[in-house]
Amino acid sequence: MDSAELLDILGNENRRRILRLLSRKPCYVTEISEYLGVSPKAVIDHLRRLEDAGLVESRTDDQRRKYFSISRNLRLEVSVSPYEFGMKSAYPASANLDVSRCRYVSLDLQFGPESAESRGVNEGDDEGAKVDDSGSADDTDETNGAAVAAATDLADELDELQQLQRELSLAQRWVHGRIADVQARLSDALDADSEDRLHAEVLAAVAGGAATPTEVSRTVEAPKPVVEECLSELADRGFLERDGETEEWALAG
Amino acid sequence: MDSAELLDILGNENRRRILRLLSRKPCYVTEISEYLGVSPKAVIDHLRRLEDAGLVESRTDDQRRKYFSISRNLRLEVSVSPYEFGMKSAYPASANLDVSRCRYVSLDLQFGPESAESRGVNEGDDEGAKVDDSGSADDTDETNGAAVAAATDLADELDELQQLQRELSLAQRWVHGRIADVQARLSDALDADSEDRLHAEVLAAVAGGAATPTEVSRTVEAPKPVVEECLSELADRGFLERDGETEEWALAG
């Protein structure tokens, strides 16, 4: 799903309330309608839109009542600054993702991705399965003890992940502020008279390794002829150089 | 501004297109209207809503034309999973923020917050100001050389920050997936029969240090009586313990 579609869906208070409710527990239409104080018909319309977008799914229980629940993991990020309006929606990265490959970020977690598989609920379940029907009260206690230990471990892990999430969010707010600051200074440095920020974006794209007009055009999301004009102007003013042979652009100096 | 208000505003395609345009350069109404193919009246309505929310501001130029630009730095994050629907909007964290205080995240940046102040555009500007009116062509070249160096430094810094931003975003997607996974396992471990996830949230809140029903209620955003019932049930089942003296809750064991 693209970010625009997601924002259209989330730009409605009742749909947000439905999602919040479903994140607590799966519900059927009457429950949602009563909780929201909105007609069942309106709830059905919202649910249909959420289902069409793949955010919500339904299943039917033994009494043939249709339950709705959230079917998808996703994140949406929107950044607004005088120099940027960016939206990004993304599915979770794989649990096996090697975060240690990151160049600028490192995460220090007690519960690493390797350890996650070898611990937790499944272990507890297995131990539970081993207890035979004739099990004494002691066996039951042990099983319960294992289940409690597994659950409290998971609760600790969840707490750690949530703290990490808050720290990442703080780090991102910090980076966001820094980027807006550098963009303002770069815009001043390049183009004190004009308010057009494209020059700054093009320069940053070249600094980031975009070497051809096509690559720069893709990075800054501007048409190629506009980018080509901008590259020439930056070269005339001494900010950029073009390799005579490969015709690739690079920062001057 | 709260996240709900921001989502209401961003849930309209034309307002998003206006913000994207203004992030490239400040514009007046006619420009926006032509670019969007929308009547000036509709543009004015959207701009008023964006101004009321404090996202956009206007100023009047020498020809008495009113220009609009984005006035605010902010970030919005939305997380959706079967166990969570969270929205958070935030202003940038201060550039002086000590990111090194984070417990789980570390950032490795060439351009640290200290170095940012001592480099860059202002330096270049100062050097430019030192050149007097009688400056020779050499002086001008030097000034331009300094400006180019300052700008390319800034472009490098911007590129580094943007890479860091992408890495943080990837790390957050990874954490998001991990959290949903742990929540699912914790929910299974606690409450295989019921679909209500409140027990898992309450247990994680206690693991995170919430010790009183009031604190837990604030953390999980559920009414205090519901939380109290949930705490007692978790204690009956052996997951939680309550200190006899302080009446504070903690994980069992």
Side-chain angles (χ1 to χ4, degrees), chain A residues 241-252:
Chain A
E241 288 169 352
R242 190 181 200 172
D243 188 293
E245 213 159 301
T246 63
E247 298 205 336
E248 293 197 335
W249 293 92
L251 293 190

Side-chain angles (χ1 to χ4, degrees), chain B residues 63-106:
Chain B
Q63 283 97 54
R64 296 191 144 195
R65 281 192 305 201
K66 210 173 170 186
Y67 275 82
F68 290 85
S69 59
I70 296 177
S71 54
R72 200 165 260 193
N73 271 323
L74 56 81
R75 280 178 52 80
L76 169 72
E77 295 181 10
V78 181
S79 296
V80 184
S81 89
Y83 298 88
E84 187 195 3
F85 175 65
M87 318 183 283
K88 189 159 52 177
S89 63
Y91 300 106
S94 154
N96 299 319
L97 178 80
D98 190 0
V99 187
S100 67
R101 291 243 188 96
C102 283
R103 185 167 156 197
Y104 297 109
V105 178
S106 40

Side-chain angles (χ1 to χ4, degrees), chain A residues 24 157 167 172 178 220, chain B residues 24 103 157 172 178 220:
Chain A
R24 282 276 152 77
E157 185 173 355
E167 288 188 357
Q172 247 172 344
R178 289 284 309 276
V220 305
Chain B
R24 284 274 154 78
R103 185 167 156 197
E157 185 173 354
Q172 246 170 345
R178 288 283 309 276
V220 306

Side-chain angles (χ1 to χ4, degrees), chain A residues 14 17 29 32-43 46:
Chain A
N14 281 330
R17 293 174 70 201
V29 171
I32 302 172
S33 163
E34 280 167 11
Y35 178 84
L36 262 62
V38 163
S39 73
K41 194 196 158 301
V43 168
H46 287 312

Side-chain angles (χ1 to χ4, degrees), chain B residues 56-68:
Chain B
V56 155
E57 65 188 359
S58 64
R59 57 186 179 77
T60 308
D61 72 1
D62 301 340
Q63 283 97 54
R64 296 191 144 195
R65 281 192 305 201
K66 210 173 170 186
Y67 275 82
F68 290 85

Side-chain angles (χ1 to χ4, degrees), chain A residues 7 60 66 80 96 105 114 120 124 128 134 164 176 197 226-227:
Chain A
L7 279 171
T60 308
K66 208 173 171 186
V80 184
N96 299 320
V105 178
E114 337 63 48
S134 64
L164 173 59
H176 179 63
R197 282 96 187 230
V226 177
V227 165

